[in-house]
Amino acid sequence: MSVVSEQIPTEPISAVGVLSSPSKAPDDYFVVAQTTDGSDADLWKDGLFKSKVTRYLCFSRKPGPDVVEDVKLTDIKDALPEGFVAVQETLDTNEAAMRKRRLCVKISPRAVAHTAVFDIRVLGKSKFHLLNYTCMGEINNMGIWYRKGEVPHLPSSQERFSRVPSDVPSDIERRTSSRPECERQSSSGGSTVAAMDDVPFGIAQRFYDTPKEMQQVNLMGITIKSLAEIEEEVSRGRNARLQLPPLARNAKQTVSGL
């Protein structure tokens, strides 16, 4: 007999573990404390004697970089399936997770995983079956069932930033749409004429005029003079030599000859 399964959860399972007590579950973990018919879902209990040791499945759907792509339940003596890791210890006490069986999970990056495990349930002794679920095996006359589905891939940061709403014009569109405000159609042929085409451009007259005298600039003790100032000093020196008396000129020449 089958029962209709509930709607698949929106997020895949990202981690699977085993607890010694349902009250010690880590944050963001869901504990499978009961079977689908309301019985205790303890995976360690003995059928004849009541044991003080308990084990419960738990899992998390907290979004992260990895997802649980597949799960298997094998015998403790069997070889570990390729690509799987074993849940060997409890999350709360670091004790042995199971006695005779071993829970194995396959972790894959969410970006490359196509399918993943979305839900895990424990069925009791009833003859009901869950639609769209697969049985991975039995422990203590209880079946462990899981449901898989397609992984919803989150858009990357580059894709989010590259998406531009259709009602928001791009920078190129804004520049293009604003151009007709500065242009007009010529009456003759229909060619586009820019609004600045009729504005005359020229250099102000004051930039053509050169100053007659340049102000001397003293830079680190060096006086910068204009060409007119240099020629004027040379001319003054030449006139001063011509105005010396003959005797002084002859004496100067004699000294220079020595």
Side-chain angles (χ1 to χ4, degrees):
M1 185 181 297
S2 301
V3 294
V4 179
S5 61
E6 299 177 359
Q7 185 178 3
I8 188 171
T10 58
E11 281 293 325
I13 293 177
S14 55
V16 177
V18 177
L19 295 171
S20 65
S21 174
S23 60
K24 298 180 180 180
D27 296 338
D28 302 318
Y29 271 76
F30 175 80
V31 182
V32 187
Q34 292 183 338
T35 63
T36 55
D37 56 2
S39 302
D40 187 12
D42 179 17
L43 303 177
W44 190 282
K45 63 183 179 181
D46 195 324
L48 299 177
F49 303 98
K50 185 176 181 180
S51 175
K52 296 181 179 180
V53 180
T54 56
R55 296 290 185 267
Y56 295 91
L57 280 176
C58 64
F59 57 86
S60 174
R61 293 193 182 98
K62 184 178 180 180
D66 300 326
V67 294
V68 176
E69 185 177 352
D70 200 1
V71 289
K72 290 182 180 296
L73 192 63
T74 65
D75 190 81
I76 196 69
K77 299 179 181 180
D78 293 341
L80 189 67
E82 184 178 359
F84 285 74
V85 294
V87 180
Q88 298 180 350
E89 297 180 347
T90 57
L91 295 178
D92 51 348
T93 59
N94 295 328
E95 297 176 320
M98 297 181 182
R99 292 186 300 177
K100 302 177 181 180
R101 305 285 279 172
R102 181 170 53 188
L103 179 64
C104 305
V105 297
K106 183 178 182 180
I107 306 295
S108 298
R110 180 168 185 159
V112 299
H114 298 289
T115 60
V117 179
F118 278 75
D119 194 22
I120 299 177
R121 296 192 182 187
V122 178
L123 269 67
K125 298 180 180 180
S126 62
K127 297 181 180 180
F128 288 97
H129 298 279
L130 295 175
L131 293 179
N132 301 321
Y133 281 73
T134 303
C135 181
M136 72 172 78
E138 290 187 359
I139 298 180
N140 295 331
N141 296 323
M142 295 183 298
I144 301 179
W145 295 65
Y146 65 96
R147 181 173 182 176
K148 299 185 68 173
E150 295 184 359
V151 178
H153 293 287
L154 300 177
S156 62
S157 58
Q158 183 177 0
E159 292 176 349
R160 289 197 300 268
F161 287 120
S162 63
R163 293 177 182 175
V164 180
S166 57
D167 56 344
V168 179
S170 63
D171 186 49
I172 298 177
E173 292 174 346
R174 285 196 295 270
R175 291 197 300 266
T176 306
S177 61
S178 62
R179 186 175 180 84
E181 298 178 2
C182 301
E183 297 179 349
R184 63 179 184 274
Q185 297 292 330
S186 64
S187 59
S188 58
S191 60
T192 303
V193 180
M196 299 297 292
D197 287 350
D198 297 335
V199 179
F201 289 90
I203 301 177
Q205 186 63 33
R206 65 176 181 274
F207 294 108
Y208 286 106
D209 299 334
T210 55
K212 296 181 180 180
E213 295 181 359
M214 296 180 62
Q215 184 178 2
Q216 295 183 357
V217 180
N218 191 301
L219 180 62
M220 298 179 62
I222 302 175
T223 302
I224 301 176
K225 298 181 180 181
S226 64
L227 179 61
E229 291 175 334
I230 296 174
E231 292 179 350
E232 184 179 355
E233 289 185 2
V234 172
S235 178
R236 285 202 302 268
R238 184 183 297 110
N239 293 336
R241 288 196 299 273
L242 294 177
Q243 293 176 3
L244 289 175
L247 181 60
R249 290 199 299 269
N250 294 336
K252 186 175 182 181
Q253 292 175 359
T254 303
V255 174
S256 62
L258 295 177

